[in-house]
């Protein structure tokens, strides 16, 4: 496969991007899913051709960090395992996020995997779509309880029911918790994606790489009117979409099929050692269906586990040093690479997050970011610590009226002082 790619700061499987700790290779997983055999190839490649650091990303993909001069051999091994795109130009645009529980979630209204396969095939095979930015992303939500609904996407689609009919609502430059622009029949789902992307490319200037850029100039009602000339649109009368209970990505949870469960666990702060990945892969073979699913919470699921084996699987995942219970404070923290591996990071966020976890008396959702780019969290966390210098952070509290991280709550805090403030807020009934 030719690896002549357009310039981009985004790593891909075929484009290794350099960081302070070496090269980064991003492996995009179809619907977050990877076979046990493929997972073992990733673990081996990380050991042999890189530093051994594997990251679960917030869009349900994997990254290998610290790649040395053997980058070509690493890429070849991943391609041989079937982890690459159909064509080199198709790698950048394989940005389709599903629920990690697609096809197995008891609350789902549609198994989205067939439609997702059609969309991914088109993104890779339609030459015009290769013009899309490597950051341009689509989300397909089947109504599952386990769904990340706070990550903004250029196009989002969500299955719902209205007056006895199952439809596909959609919106632009936002999330499924937003009010949809319109809906289409399920049979028109694939055609809708094609129509939206083609219309975007027809209207956007080269510098307008994301849907939000275009909507600044071409408001959503205007875009919708033009879209209606290409596909049959329906109005959305009621919009009830809400996320399921928190913590569904960790622990044992029932599937749609009786007697089967999925078991979820997370590597601390998103970092997997090769032995962790190998161990999880072996558990998937022994107790599941031989696959793993990665999630936007930087965790993994073993689907289709017999209910009678679930406790044993959860215990074995814990022995691999994976987090298995939502009560663990580390499971509520997000941290970017930080100054240890990124030239833009102003603090060692991974180290500081681990320290913060030991200082908090109870679990608190906190995002530690080494710089304003917020690479580790696509959504706005309830609390964000933004690095200003080594070991020092500004504290922001999410506020719907304030864009970005939210309202600045305190400036230039040490981790110890930040822990005291966060613990006090978590005790306040006003912040519950």
């Amino acid at each position: 496969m030719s690896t002549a790619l357009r310039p981009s700061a985004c790593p891909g499987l075929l484009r290794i991007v350099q960081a302070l700790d070496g090269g980064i290779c991003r492996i995009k997983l179809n619907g977050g899913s990877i076979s046990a055999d493929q997972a073992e190839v990733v673990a081996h490649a990380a050991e042999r051709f890189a530093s051994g650091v594997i990251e679960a990303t917030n869009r349900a993909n994997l990254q290998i960090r610290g790649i040395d001069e053997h980058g070509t051999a690493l890429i070849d091994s991943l391609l041989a395992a079937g982890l690459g795109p159909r064509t080199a130009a198709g790698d950048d645009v394989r940005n389709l996020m599903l629920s990690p529980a697609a096809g197995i979630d008891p609350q789902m209204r549609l198994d989205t995997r067939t439609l997702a396969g059609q969309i991914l095939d088109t993104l890779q095979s339609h030459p015009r779509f290769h013009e899309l930015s490597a950051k341009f992303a689509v989300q397909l939500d089947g109504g599952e309880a386990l769904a990340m609904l706070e990550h903004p996407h250029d196009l989002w689609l969500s299955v719902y029911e209205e007056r006895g009919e199952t439809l596909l609502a959609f919106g632009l430059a936002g999330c499924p918790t937003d009010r949809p622009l319109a809906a289409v029949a399920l049979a028109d789902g694939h055609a809708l994606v094609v129509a939206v992307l083609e219309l975007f490319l027809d209207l956007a200037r080269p510098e307008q790489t994301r849907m939000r850029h275009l909507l600044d100039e071409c408001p959503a009602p205007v875009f919708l009117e033009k879209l209606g000339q290409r596909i049959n649109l329906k109005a959305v009368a009621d919009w009830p979409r809400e996320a399921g209970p928190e913590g569904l990505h960790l622990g044992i949870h029932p599937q749609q099929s009786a007697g089967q469960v999925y078991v979820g666990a997370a590597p601390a702060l998103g970092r997997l050692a090769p032995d962790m990945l190998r161990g999880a892969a072996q558990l998937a073979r022994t107790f599941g269906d031989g696959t793993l699913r990665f999630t936007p919470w930087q965790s993994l699921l073993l689907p289709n586990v017999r209910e009678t084996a679930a406790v044993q699987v959860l215990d074995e995942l814990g022995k691999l040093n994976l987090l298995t219970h939502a009560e663990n404070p580390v499971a509520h923290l997000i941290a970017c690479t930080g100054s240890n591996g990124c030239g833009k990071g102003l603090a060692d966020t991974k180290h500081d997050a681990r320290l913060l976890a030991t200082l908090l008396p109870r679990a608190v959702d906190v995002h530690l970011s080494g710089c304003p780019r917020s690479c580790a969290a696509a959504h706005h966390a309830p609390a964000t610590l933004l690095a200003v210098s080594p070991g020092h952070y500004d504290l922001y509290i999410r506020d719907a009226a304030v864009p970005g991280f939210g309202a600045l709550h305190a400036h230039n805090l040490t981790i110890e002082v930040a822990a005291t403030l966060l613990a006090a807020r978590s005790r306040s009934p006003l912040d519950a």
Side-chain angles (χ1 to χ4, degrees), residues 266-332:
L269 304 175
R271 288 216 161 167
L272 283 154
D275 282 347
M276 285 182 181
L277 188 54
R278 266 193 289 263
Q282 186 55 47
L283 289 172
R285 283 197 195 94
T286 304
F287 297 101
D289 63 2
T291 69
L292 299 169
R293 298 189 186 188
F294 284 86
T295 86
W297 293 271
Q298 296 178 285
S299 63
L300 59 87
L301 309 181
L302 273 67
N304 298 314
V305 173
R306 297 185 309 277
E307 190 174 10
T308 53
V311 173
Q312 181 183 353
V313 171
L314 193 68
D315 183 56
E316 293 296 328
L317 289 169
K319 290 177 182 177
L320 293 171
N321 291 320
L322 290 162
L323 310 175
T324 56
H325 298 285
E327 297 79 17
N328 191 315
V330 182
H332 289 256

Side-chain angles (χ1 to χ4, degrees), residues 34 37 42 81 103 109 117 122 137 161 228 329 376 412 414:
I34 186 172
D37 289 348
V42 172
R109 300 180 186 278
T122 299
E161 291 183 11
N412 199 28
T414 64

